[in-house]
Amino acid sequence: MKRKDVDINKISPMMKQYLEIKEKYEDTIIFFRLGDFYEMFFEDAELASHELELTLTGKNCGLEERVPMCGIPYHAYKGYLDKLIEKGYKVAIAEQLTDPKDTKGMVERDVIQVVTRGTRLDDTLNSKDYNYIGNIYDFEYAYGISLIDVSTGYSYVIILDHKKDLAINEIVSHNLGEVIVNSKIDREIVDFLRSNYNILVTIRDNICDEDKYNYLTEDIKDVRVKTTISHLLSYLLDTKKGDLSHLQKVELIEHNNNLLFDVHTKKNLELTETIRNHDRMYSLLWLLDKTKTAMGGRLLKYTIENPLTNRNELNRRYDIIEKLLTEFILKEELREELDKVYDLERLVSRISYGNSNARDMIQLKNSLGALPNIKRILEELKYDKTIETLDDLYLLLDKSINLDAPITLHDGGLIKDGYNSELDELKDIRKNSKNFILNIEKEEKERTGIKTLKVGFNKVFGYYIEVSKGSVSEVKEEYGWIRKQTLTTGERYITPSLKEKEDIILGAEEKIINLEYNLFTEIREKAKEYVSRIQIIAKTLAEVDMLLAFTIASEENGFTRPELTLEHVINIKEGRHPVVEKVNKKEYVTNDIIMGKDTDILLITGPNMAGKSTYMRQLAITVIMAQIGCFVPCKECKIPIFDRIFTRIGASDDLVSGESTFMVEMKEANMAISNATKNSLILFDELGRGTATFDGMALAEAILEYIHDKIKAKTLFSTHYHELTALAKDLKRLKNVHVSAIEEEGKITFLHKVKNGAVDKSYGIHVASLAKLPDDLIKRAKEILNVYESKDKKEKYVQTTLFSEVEPTKEEEKIDEIRSRVENINPLEMTPIEALNFLYELKNDLNKKQ
């Protein structure tokens, strides 16, 4: 049965209430609270029963046919909720807003929040990662993109040119799981984000107009920024349905403040996760993450993804690391104190939103308790930022919240003795009354001589006196007992005095629970007044923690302070790839990377597996480490500040969107050529290999010439097209280097050492042999190779230029005719004799034409 088939005039009041709520939340699964269960109906039930592996049953609701229904216990709903959110669904929690015991008729119900990927505030989030939700607001001439992490309060806005690829790259680079767009958006963007990146996309135009949140953009005049953030804020307020005043003022993202790279470069360099396992282990983040706090861990990841271009800030960080390396006792003290600090950003977000519990308050108190020592250590280190210690808030929490308080807020046990006199009185009444009950049991035994009687309690009858079946005959009327219940094992009685004390005890218990809850909410509201100050403290602690992590990593791995030069030079002595070095059991072979003012391009040749890609990656990693303010893996380092990094390393066919290796290569090459400046870094690994040899070689040469003559960016370009090494004669700022290898008795040994000059030999067949390809296949490959290598080596490589159009000469036309004949034969189908005869004829024809 479907909802659309239901006659609303025939259904029960409860089901009518459900349908009215569901109508407002068509795109969500409703968790509808009924007593001790959350229940789902109709299409929601069918979907949830499948996704959560629940039994699909039915419910009577006034119709002839039972409607589809499934349910989950309300106290265990989080696990089910997590599964649905991970699968990309939205879930609306419809709670009972009135107590069924105090309600005549229908219990009031409504949605208290909608839970989605980007709006979670609970403790299921990865503690060392942000959980951004984003939006794209299409102004038709520009895109506004904002990011908000509800769990920490951070918010950012960037205005981009009206180019679809810029908007998509910005969204993808932040690893968003949920995006809100306005209806003017190009549907191609929506489809691309949904199909290629499994992003939950919601289309809506609502704008938040609540004055309460004007503070977010009060320092910003750009109306586009205000509109963009208000568009996303409207969605958050509709889903969270609570106070979001913990959101911090919007920060404008300005790309000239950061070293930029796209999602492909981030992936190629394995900055935050590895390509193979999509795991942090063996990434740069894994190597550097020595942080003690969740805030520091998140800041570290953000910083790796957003390196800086501010020379003064980078040198400030280097200075702090140098100081920490010398003050090792204070450094260790500081780490120990930071280890006591919980996730302040997410704690205060829950406090502000109103869903924090007593455990959160204890964690906040313990964190505040570490602040005085941290402040003292920072002062001794002459750190240029200080922190508040918030002693008054610490004292409030210390004297009020029970250390062993339960997670739930309606079971009592939240507040310490001595905090509130009324509460203490109620606790005394409860304690003394319970003692009185025990005394009643003792007195009645003595008065009646019935040794087996006992005083018990249940929710139906309250307190009672129970006598076993064998002693019932000893009960006399003069005792004044009133029979209440007959059991197979005996009888239960009540007395007026027992009922009187029961009212006092149960009344006190209920009053205690209600009073403790009210006191707790008062304390939480008081703590809420400190939210913005705690957020400032958390930012400082996060930075301190991150710089401590840089210090520890630098100390453990022998990193060096880089020198940031204004000259257009790279001078790295004995450079290493820090992650490869860490996981490699063999001794790491260091390499220099020297590119003076007269060298813009290093053309790298050498066999596969020799280390060309590692050599290129270690330069990019060194640059990124330097521009996050960390020491770097080498003996000496002198580099400029780069504005962008472009990479094409390794084959990464985009099969999902149907793009080949070569198309991806060309798109990434175009990205570099279109956007790189003199201050950029370009890394191209075997560009052009995705197409035919001559096409690939021609494109590679043209790209090298363009970079050399037009862009002048520092570039590392590896290739197997050895003919390209001749470019060094004409491109004066291109230098040949090669990764060395030794061939002895047909076996190859990789030295992993980069040396000046080019190599004119490939070792592809040797590598294939190392990969254990069949011996007869290797033998045949060598035969074919000998045919190619026996060609006339007098044919010279002709340098052409990209920037002038020259009419082909008659000699070039003759060469093209011969080239055409070569291209039309298949050497794999020829015997060695046929190949040699063809080569002999070709040579004779060439001599005649010359």
Side-chain angles (χ1 to χ4, degrees):
M1 179 184 292
K2 307 296 182 186
R3 278 188 297 131
K4 62 182 178 61
D5 301 327
V6 171
D7 184 347
I8 200 165
N9 297 313
K10 294 181 179 179
I11 59 174
S12 65
M14 184 278 293
M15 189 55 67
K16 185 176 182 181
Q17 184 186 54
Y18 168 81
L19 291 176
E20 288 171 352
I21 292 174
K22 179 64 182 176
E23 193 173 335
K24 301 175 188 175
Y25 298 93
E26 288 285 351
D27 63 341
T28 68
I29 295 173
I30 305 286
F31 278 15
F32 192 74
R33 179 73 179 272
L34 286 172
D36 289 340
F37 286 85
Y38 285 118
E39 295 186 358
M40 289 147 276
F41 304 104
F42 298 103
E43 292 89 344
D44 282 2
E46 292 171 351
L47 177 61
S49 64
H50 173 72
E51 296 288 5
L52 301 176
E53 299 180 2
L54 301 173
T55 301
L56 183 67
T57 61
K59 190 174 187 71
N60 294 319
C61 61
L63 303 174
E64 293 180 8
E65 184 182 348
R66 300 175 80 200
V67 304
M69 186 268 287
C70 67
I72 54 175
Y74 87 95
H75 61 272
Y77 80 98
K78 274 195 172 183
Y80 298 101
L81 177 67
D82 292 343
K83 285 183 181 179
L84 291 174
I85 299 305
E86 285 171 12
K87 290 173 180 284
Y89 296 105
K90 301 179 183 179
V91 178
I93 310 295
E95 267 298 347
Q96 295 177 167
L97 304 181
T98 54
D99 191 332
K101 292 185 295 184
D102 304 326
T103 304
K104 293 181 179 179
M106 179 62 61
V107 173
E108 185 181 349
R109 295 181 180 87
D110 204 352
V111 171
I112 60 167
Q113 69 167 316
V114 179
V115 185
T116 67
R117 281 181 180 173
T119 62
R120 304 206 71 168
L121 259 172
D122 50 46
D123 54 8
T124 59
L125 298 172
N126 182 342
S127 64
K128 289 202 170 184
D129 203 355
Y130 292 100
N131 188 48
Y132 288 114
I133 183 173
N135 77 322
I136 307 175
Y137 197 90
D138 191 341
F139 291 100
E140 297 184 289
Y141 64 91
Y143 290 116
I145 293 178
S146 61
L147 309 169
I148 292 179
D149 182 354
V150 181
S151 70
T152 61
Y154 287 110
S155 54
Y156 303 91
V157 173
I158 184 170
I159 304 298
L160 296 173
D161 292 340
H162 202 253
K163 297 178 181 178
K164 288 185 287 188
D165 59 330
L166 291 180
I168 289 171
N169 184 66
E170 195 67 33
I171 293 297
V172 172
S173 66
H174 291 285
N175 196 31
L176 301 182
E178 184 175 8
V179 174
I180 317 304
V181 299
N182 64 332
S183 58
K184 292 179 181 178
I185 198 82
D186 189 326
R187 288 303 189 274
E188 187 179 331
I189 294 177
V190 174
D191 294 341
F192 187 84
L193 294 176
R194 283 174 174 168
S195 60
N196 285 31
Y197 292 96
N198 192 30
I199 293 175
L200 177 62
V201 182
T202 301
I203 302 173
R204 55 180 276 155
D205 292 323
N206 307 53
I207 298 291
C208 172
D209 56 3
E210 291 189 35
D211 294 341
K212 178 181 180 180
Y213 296 100
N214 287 344
Y215 74 92
L216 289 170
T217 56
E218 63 185 0
D219 301 326
I220 299 172
K221 295 181 180 179
D222 193 330
V223 176
R224 298 174 300 175
V225 173
K226 296 177 183 289
T227 301
T228 301
I229 199 72
S230 296
H231 176 239
L232 180 54
L233 187 58
S234 168
Y235 176 77
L236 291 178
L237 291 172
D238 283 351
T239 54
K240 297 311 293 177
K241 297 184 177 295
D243 185 2
L244 298 180
S245 58
H246 68 284
L247 295 181
Q248 303 182 49
K249 286 187 176 182
V250 167
E251 294 182 38
L252 284 178
I253 298 176
E254 297 183 18
H255 278 161
N256 60 342
N257 293 333
N258 297 103
L259 167 63
L260 303 179
F261 43 77
D262 64 13
V263 67
H264 302 294
T265 295
K266 174 182 164 185
K267 176 183 174 183
N268 288 337
L269 297 177
E270 298 185 307
L271 296 182
T272 58
E273 64 178 28
T274 57
I275 294 174
R276 176 173 292 182
N277 298 324
H278 302 288
D279 188 24
R280 333 173 16 121
M281 182 170 282
Y282 305 136
S283 67
L284 179 63
L285 176 60
W286 164 79
L287 181 80
L288 297 180
D289 192 1
K290 311 295 181 182
T291 56
K292 289 292 186 180
T293 68
M295 298 96 69
R298 288 194 296 269
L299 179 62
L300 172 60
K301 185 176 185 221
Y302 178 85
T303 303
I304 289 174
E305 294 176 333
N306 299 274
L308 304 177
T309 56
N310 186 316
R311 185 181 309 274
N312 292 334
E313 174 59 22
L314 293 173
N315 278 312
R316 169 185 168 268
R317 293 183 181 185
Y318 302 154
D319 290 342
I320 292 170
I321 293 170
E322 279 195 339
K323 180 72 172 177
L324 289 168
L325 284 170
T326 57
E327 297 285 355
F328 56 89
I329 295 176
L330 289 175
K331 177 191 68 180
E332 289 306 316
E333 277 188 62
L334 188 54
R335 292 193 84 209
E336 288 175 12
E337 292 301 323
L338 284 172
D339 206 21
K340 301 173 185 176
V341 177
Y342 290 85
D343 194 343
L344 288 174
E345 290 173 338
R346 286 182 172 162
L347 283 175
V348 297
S349 294
R350 292 199 289 271
I351 288 169
S352 177
Y353 183 66
N355 69 336
S356 59
N357 56 40
R359 299 283 178 87
D360 292 331
M361 291 301 191
I362 294 167
Q363 290 184 358
L364 175 59
K365 185 203 80 170
N366 291 339
S367 301
L368 297 177
L371 295 186
N373 265 341
I374 293 174
K375 181 177 183 178
R376 172 187 59 79
I377 296 168
L378 293 181
E379 288 172 350
E380 289 188 42
L381 289 168
K382 295 183 171 55
Y383 198 78
D384 57 2
K385 295 179 183 178
T386 188
I387 57 172
E388 288 187 87
T389 54
L390 305 183
D391 299 334
D392 48 348
L393 178 57
Y394 173 82
L395 291 173
L396 170 64
L397 297 174
D398 187 48
K399 69 181 182 182
S400 61
I401 306 296
N402 240 333
L403 292 178
D404 56 353
I407 294 177
T408 57
L409 300 181
H410 297 282
D411 292 333
L414 303 174
I415 307 299
K416 280 184 176 180
D417 293 342
Y419 176 70
N420 179 274
S421 57
E422 182 185 353
L423 180 61
D424 290 343
E425 288 176 14
L426 287 169
K427 286 181 178 178
D428 283 340
I429 292 172
R430 179 180 63 181
K431 181 180 178 181
N432 292 332
S433 297
K434 284 186 176 180
N435 288 338
F436 178 79
I437 295 296
L438 293 175
N439 287 333
I440 285 181
E441 183 177 297
K442 182 181 177 182
E443 291 171 0
E444 290 296 328
K445 282 181 179 179
E446 292 175 353
R447 182 166 73 96
T448 64
I450 303 173
K451 303 300 182 184
T452 59
L453 77 78
K454 59 182 180 181
V455 176
F457 176 84
N458 66 31
K459 290 183 178 180
V460 177
F461 299 116
Y463 285 100
Y464 55 81
I465 296 172
E466 184 173 326
V467 177
S468 63
K469 195 171 185 180
S471 301
V472 168
S473 60
E474 299 178 39
V475 177
K476 299 178 182 178
E477 189 175 338
E478 60 195 58
Y479 297 162
W481 295 358
I482 303 168
R483 180 182 282 107
K484 194 67 180 176
Q485 187 181 18
T486 300
L487 307 171
T488 57
T489 57
E491 298 282 348
R492 287 177 177 174
Y493 306 86
I494 60 172
T495 69
S497 61
L498 200 55
K499 287 286 114 183
E500 182 183 339
K501 285 298 179 182
E502 177 187 304
D503 292 339
I504 295 172
I505 293 170
L506 296 183
E509 192 74 50
E510 187 175 348
K511 287 179 181 177
I512 287 170
I513 289 173
N514 291 336
L515 181 55
E516 285 204 342
Y517 177 77
N518 291 334
L519 290 172
F520 177 81
T521 54
E522 286 177 11
I523 295 164
R524 188 166 63 190
E525 285 299 308
K526 185 67 178 175
K528 190 174 173 180
E529 297 173 10
Y530 293 81
V531 165
S532 60
R533 293 161 72 182
I534 295 173
Q535 287 173 332
I536 293 170
I537 293 168
K539 283 184 178 179
T540 302
L541 294 183
E543 183 193 69
V544 170
D545 195 16
M546 181 181 72
L547 294 179
L548 265 172
F550 289 166
T551 305
I552 300 299
S554 299
E555 191 174 41
E556 289 180 352
N557 298 287
F559 297 162
T560 303
R561 176 172 179 155
E563 177 188 346
L564 301 176
T565 178
L566 295 172
E567 301 177 73
H568 193 54
V569 300
I570 295 174
N571 193 333
I572 296 174
K573 298 289 182 66
E574 298 183 21
R576 296 139 25 218
H577 189 301
V579 180
V580 174
E581 179 187 33
K582 191 78 173 178
V583 301
N584 196 351
K585 296 178 182 178
K586 300 177 182 178
E587 184 176 352
Y588 191 91
V589 179
T590 63
N591 276 300
D592 298 344
I593 304 178
I594 311 296
M595 301 178 77
K597 295 178 182 178
D598 58 347
T599 304
D600 288 339
I601 302 173
L602 291 184
L603 185 62
I604 310 166
T605 49
N608 285 322
M609 293 176 59
K612 297 192 299 295
S613 297
T614 301
Y615 182 72
M616 299 170 76
R617 283 188 174 97
Q618 75 185 40
L619 173 58
I621 293 292
T622 299
V623 167
I624 288 170
M625 289 176 66
Q627 290 189 224
I628 63 175
C630 184
F631 285 11
V632 294
C634 57
K635 189 174 182 180
E636 292 179 27
C637 178
K638 182 178 181 181
I639 55 173
I641 289 179
F642 290 92
D643 59 3
R644 300 190 70 154
I645 296 178
F646 301 92
T647 66
R648 170 60 199 175
I649 301 176
S652 56
D653 297 31
D654 193 350
L655 299 178
V656 174
S657 59
E659 292 185 347
S660 66
T661 298
F662 185 64
M663 177 57 79
V664 174
E665 279 187 354
M666 292 301 101
K667 283 192 170 184
E668 292 181 10
N670 181 57
M671 178 70 74
I673 288 167
S674 303
N675 297 287
T677 71
K678 181 181 179 182
N679 297 318
S680 300
L681 176 64
I682 300 174
L683 307 176
F684 282 160
D685 186 19
E686 299 182 35
L687 192 70
R689 63 182 172 182
T691 187
T693 300
F694 291 116
D695 280 352
M697 194 187 307
L699 283 164
E701 180 184 338
I703 288 169
L704 281 167
E705 289 176 355
Y706 191 95
I707 293 171
H708 182 275
D709 296 339
K710 298 288 187 180
I711 303 174
K712 300 180 173 62
K714 294 296 184 188
T715 303
L716 269 57
F717 195 110
S718 75
T719 185
H720 281 297
Y721 300 137
H722 298 126
E723 295 86 347
L724 294 179
T725 59
L727 288 171
K729 296 176 183 177
D730 299 292
L731 304 183
K732 300 304 180 186
R733 291 188 305 281
L734 181 148
K735 180 180 177 182
N736 284 315
V737 297
H738 69 279
V739 187
S740 56
I742 297 176
E743 184 182 355
E744 294 177 328
E745 298 179 0
K747 294 184 178 180
I748 186 171
T749 302
F750 301 117
L751 301 180
H752 305 295
K753 198 70 179 176
V754 177
K755 298 181 179 180
N756 290 330
V759 293
D760 58 1
K761 183 175 182 180
S762 176
Y763 295 89
I765 292 178
H766 294 82
V767 173
S769 181
L770 289 175
K772 305 298 183 185
L773 265 68
D775 291 342
D776 53 347
L777 186 153
I778 297 296
K779 182 180 178 181
R780 175 61 180 149
K782 288 179 179 178
E783 291 173 356
I784 296 169
L785 180 63
N786 288 334
V787 173
Y788 285 121
E789 288 181 340
S790 65
K791 289 182 180 180
D792 186 7
K793 295 185 179 179
K794 291 181 180 179
E795 184 178 333
K796 300 296 182 184
Y797 181 73
V798 180
Q799 167 67 34
T800 62
T801 177
L802 178 67
F803 307 109
S804 61
E805 295 185 4
V806 182
E807 289 295 322
T809 64
K810 289 184 179 180
E811 182 179 356
E812 287 171 335
E813 289 176 351
K814 292 174 184 176
I815 291 172
D816 284 342
E817 180 187 334
I818 293 170
R819 180 181 288 120
S820 177
R821 288 178 60 191
V822 173
E823 288 177 345
N824 286 330
I825 64 106
N826 186 347
L828 296 179
E829 295 178 352
M830 302 172 73
T831 67
I833 295 300
E834 288 172 337
L836 287 171
N837 288 335
F838 177 82
L839 185 62
Y840 180 80
E841 292 171 6
L842 204 62
K843 184 177 179 181
N844 284 338
D845 288 349
L846 184 62
N847 289 336
K848 290 176 184 178
K849 292 180 185 295
Q850 288 176 337

